[in-house]
Each structure stands twice: as structure tokens, then as C-alpha cells.
Amino acid sequence: MKARGIDLSEACGVDDAMRRIAIVRFAEVLTLAPALRKDPSNALHDLRIACKRLRHALLRFTVREPALLEAASRLEQLQDALGDWHDCHVLLETMPPELRATRARITVQSEDARARARALWSDAFATYGPFGDLVRFTGLGYGLGEADGV
Amino acid sequence: MADDRIREWALALEKTELAAFGRARRRFLRRPSPKRLHALRAAARRLRSLYEDLLDVLRFKQRRQLRRLIALTGEPRDAGVMRRLLIAQTDVREAAGARHVARALRKRQRAGLKRVYRALLRLQVERS
């Protein structure tokens, strides 16, 4: 998935530039988050990439905005879970079909990883959850609680 | 055109990320290994995401080469991870068949490491 371009020509200072970048990258993640609930594997892969981009951006900002570190850590956990899912998915595609029992075990692991990602995402928006400061910083994601997380 | 404070901030970030990439590159070229490949890949991706975020401010001439390098690092990384996963999850009754797949993945990983090494020798990353 190609990263969306960010217009910084109107940005007033570094804090404003940081906010503009975080808004665009968080919006990308929010747009792709429904993939955690549905099945399209491409969208889930794109979500993983979007999480990575947002995390990289937030880590750069933590020098000036240390409160964003918690969101970056949660994104890392989320990215790890989605990475585990992706590895299982790719391995299943390359494995010969006759290794049935092994395939079944990897499928279970893949579903576990996906469930873990879903739980991490839903919990991130809980009151005092790790995305609290990110939501305040960007103004995006208000009202996304556990019920409608995914 | 972004203001000077933003440009100054962006250049400082670029300096940090380029230094990290340079260190990872040197370490990998000294002795290529899966662990060093991981560090190289992470540094290259952080650098790429910096240029994506600050496209308005930083001009990066070797964008295509960096993108190609990241794609190249993906193959040995994937092969290594899949091999470990396969070994951990293999059902004992299918051990012989799985060993065959694991061997092919190992081969892919080694060939991939060599390709990354060659590409890194050609790549010279400079500041914008």
C-alpha cells in the first residue's frame, strides 16, 4: 500500500507538522482497521504496513511528545501479532497440500494471531487505554470503544 | 514550501536515521547474518518512512534504490522466519516432508542474503 502524501506547506512550526503527519498516518490505520473483523488478507497486510508507518512516525515524535510512546508500544504489539498472522499466511501458501496436519497447526496459529491483534486493537481505545494520547493529539478516533473497535 | 524550523527538524531526523542505516549497513557487510539483516531491514524501512512522511521537505535521490533494497531484504527474512515457524509447527508424522520444505527455505534464505550483500555494495546513500 502506497503511503499517502502529506502537505506540510501550510504547517506552522514543528508541532503542527508532527500533528499533520500523525493525523494522516492514524487515518490510514483507522480506515484499514475493519480488516481485523473481516477476511480479506490483502487488507490485513495493508493494515500491518499502516501500523508500522504510524509507529515509525510516533517514535520520531516522542522526543517532543513523550505521551505518544504508549501508543507506539501498542502499535508494536499489534504489528507483531499481525506479523505472526502474515508469516503463517505466507507459509501456508508455499507449503505442499499433503502436509495436512502441519498445515492445520499453522492455521490454528494464524487464527490465534489474528484474534490477538483484534483484542489488542479493541483494548487500545478503552478509557485510559494506550491510544488515549494519540486520539487527543490527532483528534481522530473519539468514541471508538471496545464495543465498536472491531 | 515548509518553514525553516520544520526543515531544520527534518534534517536532524534524517541525520539520525541515515547514521543508523549506515551502521546497520557496515555491520551487515562485515558479516552477513539473519540477525544483521533484520537490523538492516528495520533501519532501511525507518529511513523510507521518514522520506514518505517528509516528502515535502526532504529530497532523497536514491529513493528507488532504497525501495529495491527493502524488497530484496524481504525474501531472506521471510524464508528464515517461515523455516523457523515450519520447524516449530511440524507434525511428527510429516517430519520427512517438512524437512524437504525447510531445506528449500534455507537455500532461499542463503541466496537472498547474497543478493542483499551485492546490492548493498552498490548502494551509496547520501543526505538530501
Side-chain angles (χ1 to χ4, degrees):
Chain A
M1 192 194 77
K2 205 168 180 292
R4 257 189 247 172
I6 301 168
D7 181 13
L8 295 177
S9 57
E10 304 288 318
C12 306
V14 175
D15 290 338
D16 190 30
M18 277 169 24
R19 185 164 287 111
R20 284 168 190 253
I21 294 167
I23 287 171
V24 173
R25 296 293 172 242
F26 192 29
E28 286 176 344
V29 171
L30 290 171
T31 310
L32 293 162
L36 285 165
R37 184 177 42 201
K38 297 177 207 144
D39 205 38
S41 52
N42 285 350
L44 211 49
H45 178 63
D46 287 348
L47 173 64
R48 188 172 68 96
I49 305 297
C51 286
K52 196 172 288 186
R53 280 197 193 114
L54 176 60
R55 184 171 72 89
H56 285 162
L58 296 184
L59 284 175
R60 262 179 240 125
F61 303 162
T62 50
V63 178
R64 296 176 74 105
E65 282 286 340
L68 295 173
L69 190 61
E70 214 184 333
S73 306
R74 174 51 58 98
L75 283 164
E76 187 175 12
Q77 294 169 334
L78 190 60
Q79 207 185 298
D80 285 347
L82 289 171
D84 288 347
W85 167 84
H86 181 252
D87 293 335
C88 292
H89 190 76
V90 176
L91 179 58
L92 283 170
E93 276 176 3
T94 52
M95 262 175 75
E98 55 270 21
L99 299 178
R100 257 181 237 106
T102 305
R103 287 181 70 91
R105 289 171 70 145
I106 294 167
T107 306
V108 169
Q109 185 152 345
S110 149
E111 285 311 310
D112 281 354
R114 192 194 184 105
R116 203 165 75 238
R118 211 163 25 215
L120 284 166
W121 175 261
S122 297
D123 171 68
F125 290 95
T127 317
Y128 306 117
F131 278 3
D133 287 307
L134 177 61
V135 168
R136 268 188 293 281
F137 186 69
T138 56
L140 299 177
Y142 277 110
L144 276 179
E146 283 181 43
D148 50 358
V150 276
Chain B
M1 186 71 185
D3 75 24
D4 288 346
R5 286 165 303 174
I6 298 175
R7 182 152 173 79
E8 208 175 293
W9 169 69
L11 287 171
L13 289 175
E14 185 190 34
K15 191 179 170 188
T16 309
E17 297 290 4
L18 277 176
F21 177 73
R23 277 194 303 273
R25 177 180 185 269
R26 280 193 300 274
R27 278 173 60 83
F28 183 85
L29 285 176
R30 215 175 299 140
R31 186 162 61 81
S33 72
K35 201 173 163 190
R36 289 173 183 207
L37 174 81
H38 174 75
L40 174 75
R41 182 170 161 81
R45 293 177 92 146
R46 275 202 307 273
L47 188 59
R48 181 177 64 178
S49 88
L50 175 74
Y51 288 119
E52 283 169 349
D53 287 350
L54 296 168
L55 197 64
D56 251 16
V57 190
L58 299 170
R59 290 277 163 262
F60 184 53
K61 292 165 205 149
Q62 294 96 354
R63 238 176 120 177
R64 198 171 295 165
Q65 288 102 306
L66 185 66
R67 203 176 56 204
R68 201 171 152 260
L69 175 74
I70 292 169
L72 272 181
T73 58
E75 192 163 324
R77 182 261 170 211
D78 281 355
V81 169
M82 284 195 289
R83 184 172 165 268
R84 276 201 306 277
L85 181 62
L86 178 66
I87 291 168
Q89 294 299 324
T90 298
D91 188 283
V92 280
R93 291 162 295 178
E94 298 172 347
R99 214 173 296 133
H100 183 70
V101 180
R103 224 174 285 137
L105 287 170
R106 179 88 186 118
K107 228 173 167 181
R108 249 173 69 187
Q109 186 184 19
R110 281 190 181 149
L113 280 175
K114 279 182 190 158
R115 272 197 294 276
V116 172
Y117 184 87
R118 283 196 296 268
L120 262 188
L121 284 177
R122 287 194 300 268
L123 180 72
Q124 291 297 328
V125 176
E126 293 157 20
R127 295 191 68 175
S128 59

